[in-house]
């Protein structure tokens, strides 16, 4: 089965992992499954303590297995040795680890020649087949499969999570509404919702939730089947909160990789919202003019790969070996030319700086109260050296709220 699940934000990757966890447990009472997030506190702790990613992840796995009684608490050796001793032998219990938000973990592991992934692959491919792992992350995680000497494919196949097909989107709209007693005046109205939401499951949920709330206020507690009209949809489409959230979801997708933002908003800045189809060459020329140090080294084939990723994310569509924005609704939601220019400037700056996002996060203690200092602030303070001639020297920070 798939061992690498990837795709844009809020497309359902986490839901799939939870479903896999529950299905694995239900298959056999001796099965154990665990869902672990690799971002948040886990990432902060790793940045703060300076521990290598392999040790940190395997330690967490060992702890979960000890708590469940799968591993003996008095077993000896490193985390890797303890896992090998248990799962590289015959036994009756089997385990599945679902690791979510692994983007930062894979980035760090790649710098050490994928030591973590290689250790996991050795456990997965053991002849006893008692250990399975699934990694999930954003769309760029799939690029690691083609990384030189990458062992990711040894874990299993890959599963892209994309925007919904037209039929799946239609079912997600029509069936729940029908169960609530609503039907559409015309079948084409369903297509209108699909176009407005770009078949994105999160946006479909937002749109239909607002629609149900609006219809509920109008019909109150009346029984029977109620008709959804074109006017009902227009009210939702013109709702400023819905439009803002829709535009935010589009930006969220582009911000998965700042190169996406530069490619799309760069074209819109140069050619305006009247942009029709464009070639890989045209888009690459615009990107090179904005961030030459990033795109000059890319040829049309590699840049075309970026555009294909945007097709998978539902931003672009193929048009006879060229590309176009997926639908005109997107262009209505992304804001004015000046806002597009502002977003483009931010993306260009971030792409040039290539800052480590984790260092701008505020670590949280066990009580989930975030530190007032970001990790980069902590590093700056801890790196301060005592002035010459001063024996007892420390840095004091006083924090408060208005």
């Amino acid at each position: 089965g798939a061992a690498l699940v990837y795709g844009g934000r809020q497309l359902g990757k986490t839901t799939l992992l939870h479903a896999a966890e529950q299905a694995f447990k239900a298959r056999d009472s001796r099965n154990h499954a665990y869902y672990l997030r690799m971002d948040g506190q886990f990432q902060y702790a790793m940045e703060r303590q300076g521990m290598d990613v392999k040790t940190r992840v395997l330690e967490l796995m060992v702890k979960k297995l000890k708590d469940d009684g799968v591993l003996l608490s008095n077993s000896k050796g490193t985390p890797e040795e303890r896992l090998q001793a248990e799962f590289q032998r015959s036994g009756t219990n089997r385990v599945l680890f679902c690791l979510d938000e692994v983007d930062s973990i894979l980035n760090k592991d790649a710098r050490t020649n994928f030591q973590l992934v290689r250790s996991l692959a050795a456990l997965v491919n053991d002849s006893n087949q008692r250990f399975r792992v699934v990694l999930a992350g954003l769309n760029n995680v799939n690029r690691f499969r083609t990384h030189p000497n990458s062992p990711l494919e040894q874990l299993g196949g890959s599963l892209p999570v994309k925007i919904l097909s037209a039929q799946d989107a239609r079912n997600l709209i029509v069936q729940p509404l029908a169960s609530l007693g609503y039907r559409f005046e015309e079948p084409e109205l369903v297509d209108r919702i699909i176009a407005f939401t770009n078949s994105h499951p999160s946006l479909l949920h937002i749109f239909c939730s607002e629609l149900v709330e609006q219809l509920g206020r109008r019909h109150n507690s009346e029984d029977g089947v109620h008709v959804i009209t074109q006017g009902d949809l227009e009210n939702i489409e013109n709702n400023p909160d819905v439009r803002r959230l829709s535009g935010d979801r589009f930006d969220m997708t582009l911000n998965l990789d700042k190169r996406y933002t530069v490619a799309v908003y760069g074209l819109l800045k140069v050619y305006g919202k009247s942009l029709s189809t464009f070639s890989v060459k045209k888009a690459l020329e615009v990107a090179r003019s904005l961030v030459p140090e990033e795109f000059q080294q890319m040829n049309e084939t590699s840049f075309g790969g970026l555009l294909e990723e945007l097709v998978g994310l539902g931003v672009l569509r193929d048009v006879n070996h060229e590309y176009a924005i997926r639908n005109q609704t997107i262009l209505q939601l992304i804001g004015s030319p000046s806002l597009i220019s502002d977003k483009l400037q931010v993306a260009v700056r971030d792409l040039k700086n290539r800052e480590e996002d984790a260092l701008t996060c505020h670590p949280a203690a066990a009580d989930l109260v975030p530190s007032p200092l970001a990790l980069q602030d902590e590093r700056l303070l801890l790196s301060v050296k005592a002035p010459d001639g001063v024996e007892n020297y420390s840095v004091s920070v006083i924090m408060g709220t208005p």
Side-chain angles (χ1 to χ4, degrees), residues 307-357:
L307 299 184
E308 283 297 325
E309 290 175 12
L310 285 168
V311 172
L313 289 168
V315 175
L316 302 179
R317 57 188 173 91
D318 289 306
V319 184
N320 297 324
H321 306 295
E322 291 196 334
Y323 297 90
I325 301 295
R326 184 177 174 88
N327 65 53
Q328 291 300 308
T329 304
I330 291 177
L331 298 179
Q332 299 171 17
L333 298 172
I334 57 178
S336 64
S338 62
L339 184 58
I340 290 173
S341 181
D342 291 343
K343 293 175 181 178
L344 177 60
Q345 288 179 14
V346 172
V348 168
R349 183 197 64 206
D350 291 347
L351 196 54
K352 289 180 177 179
N353 292 339
R354 287 282 189 175
E355 293 181 355
E356 183 77 28
D357 289 340

Side-chain angles (χ1 to χ4, degrees), residues 259 280 284 295 297-309:
R259 294 178 299 178
V280 175
L284 180 56
F295 294 102
Q297 60 187 353
M298 296 184 71
N299 56 30
E300 290 187 22
T301 300
S302 57
F303 190 80
L306 278 181
L307 299 184
E308 283 297 325
E309 290 175 12

